Amino acid sequence: MFAVHLMAFYFTKLKEDQIKKVDRFLYHMRLSDETLLDIMARFQAEMQKGLGKDTNPTASVKMLPTFVRAIPDGSENGEFLSLDLGGSKFRVLKVQVSEEGKRNVQMESQFYPTPNEIIRGNGTQLFEYVADCLADFMKTKGLKQKKFPLGLTFSFPCRQTKLEEGILLSWTKKFKARGVQNTDVVRSLANAMKKHKQDIDVDILALVNDTVGTMMTCAYDDPYCEVGVIIGTGTNACYMEDMSNIDLVEGDEGRMCINTEWGAFGDDGALEDIRTEFDRELDLGSLNPGKQLFEKMISGLYLGELVRLILLKMAKAGLLFGGEKSSALHIKGKIETRHVAAMEKYKEGLANTREILTDLGLEPSEADCIAVQHVCTIVSFRSANLCAAALAAILTRLRENKKLARLRTTVGMDGTLYKIHPQYPKRLHKVVRKLVPNCDVRFLLSESGSTKGAAMVTAVASRVQAQRKQIDKVLALFQLTREQLEGVQDKMRVELDYGLKRDTHPLATVKMLPTYVRGMPDGTEKGKFLALDLGGTNFRVLLVKIRSGWRSVRIYNKIFAIPLEIMQGTGEELFDHIVQCIADFLDYMGLKGAQLPLGFTFSFPCRQASIDKGTLIEWTKGFKATDCEGEDVVDMLREAIKRRNEFDLDIVAVVNDTVGTMMTCGYEDPNCEVGLIAGTGSNMCYMEEMRNIELVEGDEGKMCINTEWGGFGDNGCIDDIRTQYDKEVDEGSLNPGKQRYEKMTSGMYLGEIVRQILIDLTKQGLLFRGQISERLRTRGIFETKFLSQIESDRLALLQVRRILQQLGLDSTCEDSIVVKEVCGAVSRRAAQLYGAGLAAIVEKRREDQGLEHLKITVGVDGTLYKLHPHFSRILQETVKELAPQCDVTFMLSEDGSGKGAALITAVAKRLQQARKEN
C-alpha cells in the first residue's frame, strides 16, 4: 500500500516538475487576461481600419464585403448546386431546400481529390478540373437535363463588388495556382464550364467564403446566428455588419456579411510583442513568409509544426529525450495537428504521446511524455485564447452596433481543429465568455459546413431576387415618369380654367372659389384683432396685435379640443361649443366687453359671395356635423353668439387656412402670390386677375382664388396613375369618390396607403414572415408622422424596427428596409403630384402676365412639408423641372391660419376705410 502511495507521489511530483520546466521554457506563449483584453482592443482597432475607405488599403485585416445581405428566413425552397474549393478535398453538393412548414434540407454530395499538380499548377487547369468534376457529378446523379442555381464556396481572400463575382487577392494554405491572382474566379469557372455545355446548365448566383457558408448553414437552423468562425486548416471569421459602417460599399440600409480575413491580423507588426522565436522560425519556412501571421499562431496547418520546432529546441537544450534528436524530428511537417489532438486526449493522451514520439524514432521517458503533452496544451491553448480575443472583439462590435446592454447571439463554428481537438471547444467558449460577460453566446457546430452554406447563400439570393422583383413591381406603380407628371400638370391647368368659367364651373372638380380677398398687406395695417381657427380636431382662439410700419405682430392664443361627438353631432352643438371656447379665451385675456374685429379661419370648402359670407359646400377631414352643408357659417357663428348673449363681435372675414398662409408670407414678402398647404389636408390658393374670374363682377385688379384642388381627379381624369391601394383607401374613407387628389397627396392618407401596401406585401409572403398582425389590420394605425420618422436619414434601421414594433410588427432587418422603401415611394409620389399641380399654377400666372420669366414666392404651411425629411426638396425639384421659366421661392409660413386670418381682417378693414374715404 505504501509503495502505491509512493509511486503516486513520485508521478505527481514528476508531472509538476515537467510542467514547471515547460512553463518556464514557453513563458511567452502563456497569455494573461490583461494581454487578451489588449489583443481584443487591437483587433477592434484593426476592424475599424479595414472598414474605412481611406484606411482599408493599409489595413492588415481586410474586412471584405461579401454582398451577402440576408440570412435564411425559412421560406427558401428549390434545388441548388454547391461547390467547395479550399481544403484538402474538393466537394460537389446538390441541396434540396423545402419549406413544408418546417426547415427541411436534403443533400447528395461527392468528394474529389485536389492533387498537388492541380492546386500548384496553372489556373486554367485548376478551373477545368473543377468543371470536369461538376460534369461527372451531374452525369452520375442524372442531373444533366436540369438548370440549377449554383453557389461556389471559395475559401481564399477575394474582393467582391457583387455577390456573383470575386477577385482573388492572394492564395493561402497550400494553394499556389498561377495566373489566378487579381482575376475574377467566377468568370474563370464560367469559362471552364463552356466546354461542358451538354452536361452543365447552371447560373452562378453566389461566390461565398467558407466562413460565410458556415454562418449561413447555422443561421438556417438558428436565426440568432450572425457570426461564422472557422478553426481548421486555416482560420477566419465573418459577421453581419451595419451597412452604415461599411465605407467600401454604397448605401446605408440594412446589413452585410463582412469576411474579416482575420488570419492576416498582425501582418503589419501589431502582434510582434506576443510572437515568439518559434512563430518567426515557422513563418520563415512557410510558403508565404510575413503573411497570415495570426493564422500561423492558430490554425491546424501550423500547430503541429510549432510543436515540432519547440520539441527540437528543447531536445537541443538537453531538456527532452536526454538531449537526443531523431532524424524525423528534423523533418518539417512530421508532427501534424491530428497528432497534437491525440496527445491531448483526456485518458489515453500519455499513451498516444509515447506512441507518436516512438514513431518519430525517439525513446521518450515518462517525464518526456508529460513534458511533450504539456507543450501541446500550451500551443493549442494559446491558439484558443487568440481566437477568443478576436471573436470577443467581433461580439462587442455587434453589441455596440445594436446599442444593447446585453447581446444574445449565436456563433456558427466549423473546422477540423475545432471538431477533432478534445479540449479546444471548451477552452474557446470559456475564454470568450470571460472576455465578454455582457454577451450570451451560443456556439453552434455547422453540419455539412461551408458547402451547404454556399447552397443556403444561393437559396437566399434566389429568394431575395424573386422577392425583389415582386416588391419592385409594387413600387413601380408609384414611380411617375416625366411624361406622367406633365400629364398631371396639363390636366390641372384645364381644370383650373374650367373652375373659373361660369359655364363649366358647376362641373369642374377644382372649384376655384373666389375669396373676396382683393389685396395683400402693405405694412400700414395696425390694431388688435381676434382670430378663430377651425380645421382639425383642435380649435384655436387668438388675439393678434399688429404694429404699423414695423411689420411686427404679437400673438396670444389658446387651444381647445373638439370632441368627436361634437365634430359629428349637430351644427348648433358645434357652433355653441366654438362660442363657449371664445368666451373662455376673452375671460382668460380680460377682454370680456371689448368689441374687436374678427377673422374666422374655416378650413373647409366654402362658396363665398363676399369676404364675410361663406357657404359650406361639404365637410372634409372627418367632420360630419349636421345642418351645416349649404349654410352660411358666418351666420351660424353670429346666431350662436346671440344665443349666448354675453358679447358681440365684428366678424369681418371668413378665410381658408391656405389664404391665411399666403397672407402671412405676403406680409413679409410682396412677391408672395401663392399659398400652399401640405399637411393633414392638401390645398392651394393664388392671386388671380379679376378679368379671368367669370363668377365675380368686375375686371379690375386681382382676387385670391381658393382652388380647393383636393377634388382634382374626382371626374376620373387621373385614374391612369391611381393604384389599387389608392382605390382601397378611397373606398374605406368617409367620402368615397371625393377628394381623390388629396387622398394621394395629404398627410391624412399617406400612412393609410402605406398600410394597404404592407398588407398586400405580407399576403404575398414578402414581409413579416407572411404574418399580418391585428394592429396592421387596424385602419389609421400607420400615421403619416411614422413616414417622416422612418424616412429620416439620421434614423438607423434599428430605430425603424422599434417604430414597427410599436405598431405590433415584428420585423427583420430586411423587412425594415422594404418598409422604408414603401414609405419613400408613397411620399415621393405625393411630393411630385404637389409639384405638378403647383407648376400648372405658376405657369398660368406667367402666361397671364405675358412674361418670358416669372419671379414668384409661394407661402407654404403644413406638417408634411415642414416635418418630412425629403418632401419639400422633391416638391421644389418637380416645380423647377416642370416650370423652368418660373423662378419660385418657397417661404415657410408662421401660423398662417391664425396670424393670416388677422392680417386678412386688417387688410379688409384698411380697404373698407379707403372706400369710405373715397
Side-chain angles (χ1 to χ4, degrees):
M1 189 67 185
F2 175 70
V4 172
H5 280 300
L6 194 63
M7 276 302 290
F9 174 75
Y10 166 74
F11 187 75
T12 307
K13 185 85 178 74
L14 178 71
K15 195 172 179 182
E16 280 175 7
D17 289 348
Q18 294 307 311
I19 286 172
K20 278 178 186 167
K21 176 174 76 176
V22 172
D23 282 347
R24 277 195 300 276
F25 191 76
L26 296 180
Y27 172 76
H28 285 296
M29 277 195 162
R30 297 178 69 83
L31 305 172
S32 67
D33 288 354
E34 200 178 333
T35 305
L36 291 177
L37 286 166
D38 183 37
I39 293 167
M40 183 177 153
R42 290 185 218 181
F43 188 70
Q44 277 178 299
E46 283 297 320
M47 287 168 79
Q48 194 58 43
K49 208 170 158 186
L51 288 169
K53 199 176 224 158
D54 300 335
T55 47
N56 175 275
T58 57
S60 58
V61 179
K62 282 297 174 199
M63 303 296 280
L64 303 170
T66 65
F67 293 82
V68 171
R69 292 170 182 259
I71 60 170
D73 68 358
S75 68
E76 292 76 15
N77 59 29
E79 288 185 308
F80 307 93
L81 286 178
S82 179
L83 309 179
D84 185 0
L85 181 67
S88 48
K89 289 177 183 169
F90 165 60
R91 188 181 184 196
V92 185
L93 184 81
K94 180 178 89 79
V95 179
Q96 182 154 7
V97 185
S98 54
E99 212 177 330
E100 295 172 1
K102 61 182 188 295
R103 298 176 183 229
N104 187 5
V105 178
Q106 289 172 323
M107 294 182 288
E108 289 179 73
S109 72
Q110 176 80 48
F111 284 97
Y112 295 90
T114 47
N116 269 345
E117 63 272 19
I118 292 288
I119 66 172
R120 294 188 188 181
N122 176 300
T124 309
Q125 287 172 323
L126 171 66
F127 288 106
E128 281 175 356
Y129 175 73
V130 170
D132 292 345
C133 295
L134 177 60
D136 174 73
F137 178 81
M138 294 188 81
K139 208 174 193 172
T140 54
K141 300 289 180 188
L143 305 173
K144 277 168 67 174
Q145 303 309 314
K146 294 181 80 174
K147 188 179 178 77
F148 288 92
L150 180 139
L152 168 63
T153 300
F154 191 72
S155 314
F156 306 95
C158 285
R159 175 158 281 117
Q160 292 184 263
T161 54
K162 47 187 185 231
L163 186 58
E164 68 280 14
E165 172 199 280
I167 309 297
L168 177 68
L169 296 178
S170 60
W171 286 116
T172 57
K173 292 167 271 200
K174 291 181 178 174
F175 280 69
K176 265 287 187 201
R178 295 183 301 281
V180 184
Q181 219 165 313
N182 298 316
T183 66
D184 178 6
V185 294
V186 174
R187 184 174 292 173
S188 302
L189 178 60
N191 289 338
M193 285 179 184
K194 284 176 185 168
K195 279 188 177 177
H196 296 278
K197 273 185 181 169
Q198 303 304 312
D199 304 327
I200 301 175
D201 187 6
V202 297
D203 272 339
I204 306 176
L205 288 189
L207 173 82
V208 185
N209 180 281
D210 54 347
T211 324
V212 181
T214 295
M215 181 189 80
M216 292 296 270
T217 302
C218 294
Y220 188 67
D221 298 318
D222 180 347
Y224 280 100
C225 182
E226 49 193 346
V227 183
V229 175
I230 289 200
I231 311 165
T233 314
T235 183
N236 195 11
C238 69
Y239 73 103
M240 295 301 286
E241 176 61 86
D242 289 358
M243 280 288 289
S244 55
N245 295 330
I246 308 171
D247 286 355
L248 303 168
V249 179
E250 288 296 309
D252 283 347
E253 300 302 334
R255 300 198 302 167
M256 183 182 283
C257 181
I258 288 289
N259 165 21
T260 65
E261 287 297 338
W262 77 9
F265 177 36
D267 286 7
D268 58 356
L271 297 175
E272 280 314 296
D273 56 328
I274 65 156
R275 288 178 76 225
T276 65
E277 58 182 294
F278 308 109
D279 297 308
R280 292 186 177 93
E281 194 179 338
L282 178 141
D283 176 47
L284 286 171
S286 68
L287 282 170
N288 52 353
K291 302 270 175 74
Q292 299 294 103
L293 299 182
F294 190 60
E295 181 169 82
K296 286 170 185 168
M297 296 159 81
I298 288 172
S299 80
L301 191 59
Y302 305 102
L303 288 197
E305 184 60 10
L306 271 175
V307 167
R308 185 188 72 80
L309 292 171
I310 293 165
L311 299 188
L312 190 59
K313 176 92 187 269
M314 288 181 80
K316 281 178 182 172
L319 297 169
L320 280 178
F321 319 126
E324 293 296 321
K325 306 173 289 294
S326 67
S327 56
L329 194 59
H330 283 88
I331 298 170
K332 183 182 166 187
K334 267 295 179 182
I335 298 180
E336 296 173 24
T337 298
R338 64 188 172 90
H339 297 134
V340 175
M343 289 191 270
E344 282 196 74
K345 278 203 167 159
Y346 179 54
K347 281 186 179 159
E348 58 264 46
L350 275 178
N352 290 343
T353 305
R354 182 177 294 281
E355 192 182 318
I356 289 161
L357 293 174
T358 306
D359 287 349
L360 288 169
L362 296 160
E363 293 176 10
S365 65
E366 195 71 41
D368 289 335
C369 291
I370 292 167
V372 169
Q373 190 181 42
H374 193 54
V375 167
C376 293
T377 300
I378 287 176
V379 169
S380 62
F381 213 126
R382 183 185 68 155
S383 164
N385 276 337
L386 289 170
C387 253
L391 177 54
I394 289 174
L395 295 171
T396 301
R397 186 170 180 88
L398 273 177
R399 186 180 61 76
E400 287 170 357
N401 281 351
K402 294 183 179 188
K403 296 180 173 58
L404 295 173
R406 191 164 196 86
L407 173 75
R408 175 187 170 185
T409 194
T410 298
V411 178
M413 300 295 303
D414 203 356
T416 45
L417 179 56
Y418 183 85
K419 282 177 172 173
I420 66 163
H421 192 291
Q423 317 294 335
Y424 202 99
K426 198 164 55 181
R427 289 171 186 164
L428 177 79
H429 303 170
K430 190 176 177 181
V431 180
V432 168
R433 288 177 178 131
K434 187 158 59 171
L435 293 174
V436 280
N438 46 7
C439 296
D440 297 319
V441 191
R442 179 189 179 207
F443 291 88
L444 182 60
L445 188 62
S446 161
E447 289 173 46
S448 321
S450 49
T451 328
K452 176 181 167 185
M456 291 319 308
V457 173
T458 310
V460 170
S462 292
R463 165 176 67 78
V464 169
Q465 223 175 51
Q467 289 178 342
R468 190 69 252 175
K469 270 186 191 165
Q470 288 172 278
I471 290 162
D472 286 346
K473 200 172 160 188
V474 170
L475 296 180
L477 300 171
F478 291 85
Q479 286 153 6
L480 300 176
T481 62
R482 169 79 186 254
E483 200 180 350
Q484 285 174 313
L485 289 169
E486 284 171 349
V488 171
Q489 181 184 2
D490 295 344
K491 287 168 188 171
M492 178 66 86
R493 179 63 193 271
V494 168
E495 288 294 319
L496 296 176
D497 290 339
Y498 268 20
L500 287 171
K501 290 189 166 52
R502 186 178 277 111
D503 296 344
T504 49
H505 176 83
L507 298 172
T509 59
V510 179
K511 285 297 172 199
M512 305 297 281
L513 304 171
T515 65
Y516 294 85
V517 171
R518 291 170 183 266
M520 299 296 285
D522 65 3
T524 63
E525 296 78 13
K526 62 180 179 181
K528 288 181 186 176
F529 303 89
L530 268 185
L532 310 179
D533 174 14
L534 179 69
T537 51
N538 288 330
F539 169 64
R540 284 190 312 152
V541 186
L542 307 93
L543 175 68
V544 183
K545 294 181 180 177
I546 303 172
R547 292 174 69 186
S548 138
W550 293 84
R551 290 193 186 256
S552 147
V553 177
R554 289 187 74 181
I555 299 173
Y556 308 87
N557 74 83
K558 204 167 181 202
I559 295 172
F560 301 90
I562 305 256
L564 189 65
E565 61 272 19
I566 299 273
M567 282 168 69
Q568 299 184 359
T570 67
E572 201 169 281
E573 286 167 345
L574 174 63
F575 282 93
D576 282 348
H577 180 75
I578 287 169
V579 171
Q580 173 67 55
C581 297
I582 298 170
D584 289 352
F585 179 77
L586 293 173
D587 216 15
Y588 171 74
M589 294 298 296
L591 293 168
K592 205 101 191 237
Q595 192 174 12
L596 299 171
L598 179 142
F600 183 13
T601 299
F602 188 75
S603 307
F604 303 93
C606 282
R607 184 165 282 109
Q608 289 186 253
S610 65
I611 197 163
D612 64 347
K613 290 200 174 302
T615 303
L616 175 64
I617 296 171
E618 63 180 340
W619 284 119
T620 55
K621 300 181 230 180
F623 276 74
K624 279 281 184 189
T626 56
D627 308 322
C628 295
E629 289 177 2
E631 299 296 326
D632 181 352
V633 293
V634 176
D635 285 347
M636 292 184 83
L637 180 59
R638 285 191 179 121
E639 288 298 319
I641 291 170
K642 266 187 202 161
R643 278 197 297 276
R644 188 160 183 100
N645 199 22
E646 272 183 30
F647 49 81
D648 199 15
L649 297 169
D650 175 16
I651 305 171
V652 175
V654 59
V655 293
N656 180 281
D657 55 346
T658 322
V659 184
T661 294
M662 181 186 76
M663 292 299 267
T664 303
C665 294
Y667 189 61
E668 311 287 335
D669 179 350
N671 271 338
C672 183
E673 287 204 334
V674 182
L676 181 71
I677 297 274
T680 313
S682 165
N683 198 11
M684 209 267 318
C685 72
Y686 71 103
M687 295 303 286
E688 177 61 271
E689 307 298 324
M690 281 293 290
R691 67 175 184 271
N692 293 334
I693 309 171
E694 293 184 5
L695 302 169
V696 179
E697 291 299 310
D699 285 350
E700 293 302 312
K702 294 190 273 195
M703 181 184 283
C704 178
I705 291 290
N706 166 21
T707 65
E708 286 298 337
W709 76 0
F712 173 50
D714 288 0
N715 59 358
C717 70
I718 54 171
D719 278 3
D720 58 318
I721 59 166
R722 285 175 79 225
T723 67
Q724 68 189 76
Y725 310 107
D726 296 307
K727 288 168 188 162
E728 279 162 5
V729 169
D730 179 40
E731 282 160 18
S733 69
L734 286 169
N735 53 351
K738 304 261 177 81
Q739 301 292 102
R740 288 182 181 178
Y741 183 66
E742 180 168 83
K743 284 170 187 167
M744 294 166 82
T745 54
S746 81
M748 189 164 179
Y749 300 101
L750 297 192
E752 190 56 20
I753 296 171
V754 168
R755 188 181 73 87
Q756 293 293 348
I757 298 170
L758 299 188
I759 286 174
D760 186 39
L761 293 178
T762 309
K763 280 179 183 169
Q764 291 182 51
L766 304 172
L767 273 183
F768 312 129
R769 300 177 188 85
Q771 303 296 310
I772 302 177
S773 71
E774 275 311 306
R775 293 288 300 275
L776 190 58
R777 292 179 201 276
T778 312
R779 187 176 300 284
I781 190 70
F782 208 100
E783 295 171 46
T784 299
K785 69 173 182 184
F786 293 134
L787 268 77
S788 299
Q789 290 170 7
I790 285 168
E791 286 188 70
S792 167
D793 293 329
R794 296 190 306 276
L795 206 64
L797 279 182
L798 265 174
Q799 290 156 295
V800 175
R801 285 177 78 178
R802 280 192 199 122
I803 291 168
L804 294 173
Q805 276 163 358
Q806 286 169 21
L807 296 169
L809 303 170
D810 182 20
S811 70
T812 62
C813 189
E814 289 71 44
D815 290 339
S816 304
I817 294 171
V818 174
V819 170
K820 197 165 182 173
E821 285 182 279
V822 169
C823 291
V826 170
S827 61
R828 182 178 180 78
R829 183 190 68 163
Q832 287 179 317
L833 287 174
Y834 259 103
L838 185 54
I841 303 266
V842 293
E843 270 296 302
K844 180 180 181 352
R845 290 302 295 134
R846 185 184 67 78
E847 288 170 18
D848 283 350
Q849 293 170 62
L851 297 172
E852 185 67 32
H853 196 89
L854 173 73
K855 193 172 168 57
I856 194 167
T857 297
V858 177
V860 198
D861 202 354
T863 46
L864 194 54
Y865 187 90
K866 284 178 173 174
L867 301 181
H868 191 282
H870 310 299
F871 192 91
S872 57
R873 175 183 54 79
I874 296 164
L875 190 157
Q876 290 171 27
E877 284 169 1
T878 308
V879 173
K880 198 170 187 177
E881 199 178 322
L882 298 179
Q885 289 164 274
C886 300
D887 180 4
V888 184
T889 302
F890 289 82
M891 184 177 184
L892 264 184
S893 158
E894 284 178 56
D895 195 10
S897 44
K899 180 176 166 183
L903 283 165
I904 290 166
T905 307
V907 171
K909 275 291 193 194
R910 172 169 62 75
L911 295 175
Q912 262 177 23
Q913 192 62 37
R915 276 199 299 275
K916 271 183 194 170
E917 286 166 10
N918 284 341

